[in-house]
């Protein structure tokens, strides 16, 4: 009789442990989903900001990024395959922003001059807001300007031009799923030509 009670008690404890483990795993998954949602909103907000604003706030942006991704990096195994893929894509987009901003610091591009180059090459200083339907035209304009002016450019001019094309490339990766196949092919050809 004591053995039966002991067996039932052990079985009850094991089942409780399994249930608690499943509950804890479910709670962790929901926290990861919430953290991913917060990161998604943050990325959307930052990508809609003007490039010049983003550059001014870059140290803060870097810190926010570290805080938002810290727990996500530790819990990627708890994510679904699609969430892992989305997270990796957002991190790649951030990495491209960071590289652009680090390059800008390295070559010390002057704000007003950079805005002039952005406006001349793309028609706007808000490259991060170019609509997918207008992105092909922005690339065409930038490469046409490069073709016309490249022989007169100094190394400094090339720094500005490369930075502007890098911003266009980043915008392309942000809206890639909204571009037609024809636009994707044309933009890829223009990128190769510029390179």
């Amino acid at each position: 009789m004591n053995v039966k009670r002991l067996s039932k008690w052990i079985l009850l404890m094991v089942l409780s442990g399994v249930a608690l483990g499943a509950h804890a795993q479910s709670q962790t998954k929901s926290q990861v989903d919430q953290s991913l949602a917060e990161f998604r909103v943050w990325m959307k907000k930052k990508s809609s900001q003007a490039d010049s604003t983003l550059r001014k706030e870059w140290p803060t942006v870097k810190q926010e990024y570290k805080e938002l991704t810290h727990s996500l990096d530790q819990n990627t195994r708890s994510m679904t395959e699609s969430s892992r893929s989305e997270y990796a894509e957002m991190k790649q987009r951030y990495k491209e922003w960071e590289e652009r901003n680090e390059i800008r610091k390295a070559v010390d591009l002057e704000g007003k001059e950079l805005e002039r180059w952005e406006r001349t090459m793309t028609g706007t200083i808000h490259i991060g807001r170019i609509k997918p339907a207008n992105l092909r035209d922005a690339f065409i304009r930038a490469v046409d300007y490069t073709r016309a002016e490249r022989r007169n450019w100094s190394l400094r001019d090339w720094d500005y031009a490369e930075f502007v094309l890098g911003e266009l490339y980043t915008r392309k990766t942000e809206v890639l799923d909204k571009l037609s196949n024809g636009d994707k092919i044309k933009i890829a050809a223009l990128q190769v030509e510029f390179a």
Side-chain angles (χ1 to χ4, degrees), residues 55-66:
R55 280 190 294 273
K56 289 175 193 164
E57 298 176 358
W58 192 247
T60 305
V61 170
K62 283 175 77 170
Q63 184 58 38
E64 289 173 356
Y65 173 81
K66 284 179 186 175

Side-chain angles (χ1 to χ4, degrees), residues 19-34 78:
L20 286 173
H23 176 71
Q25 188 176 16
S26 170
Q27 191 173 14
T28 300
K29 183 164 177 41
S30 117
Q31 288 170 341
V32 169
D33 289 341
Q34 184 171 347
S78 303

Side-chain angles (χ1 to χ4, degrees), residues 77-139:
R77 288 186 179 178
S78 303
M79 295 179 193
T80 64
E81 185 61 37
S82 65
S83 292
R84 261 194 305 275
S85 176
E86 178 190 14
Y87 181 57
E89 185 180 311
M90 286 189 292
K91 284 186 74 170
Q92 178 61 35
R93 191 170 40 187
Y94 173 83
K95 183 180 177 196
E96 290 165 3
W97 285 347
E98 185 173 52
E99 286 172 2
R100 266 201 350 258
N101 279 285
E102 297 305 319
I103 288 170
R104 181 184 177 278
K105 272 199 252 178
V107 296
D108 194 28
L109 300 178
E110 195 273 314
K112 292 291 181 197
E113 181 67 6
L114 180 57
E115 287 180 5
R116 186 185 71 76
W117 276 86
E118 289 171 338
R119 188 175 287 112
T120 301
M121 290 184 76
T122 67
T124 182
I125 61 169
H126 303 290
I127 294 172
R129 294 183 190 168
I130 295 175
K131 292 184 179 2
N134 300 329
L135 193 57
R136 176 183 180 151
D137 291 335
F139 267 97

Side-chain angles (χ1 to χ4, degrees), residues 92-93 96 99-100 127 135 139 162-176 187-188 191:
Q92 178 61 35
R93 191 170 40 187
E96 290 165 3
E99 286 172 2
R100 266 201 350 258
I127 294 172
L135 193 57
F139 267 97
E162 287 174 358
F163 187 82
V164 172
L165 259 289
E167 289 180 320
L168 281 172
Y169 179 74
T170 298
R171 183 60 180 156
K172 173 192 159 193
T173 60
E174 292 169 357
V175 298
L176 190 61
I187 289 170
Q191 285 178 276

Side-chain angles (χ1 to χ4, degrees), residues 141-156:
R141 181 177 173 152
V143 173
D144 283 349
Y145 182 73
T146 302
R147 282 186 203 122
E149 300 297 325
R150 67 192 168 109
R151 287 189 173 83
N152 303 320
W153 282 353
S154 67
L155 289 176
R156 182 79 167 158

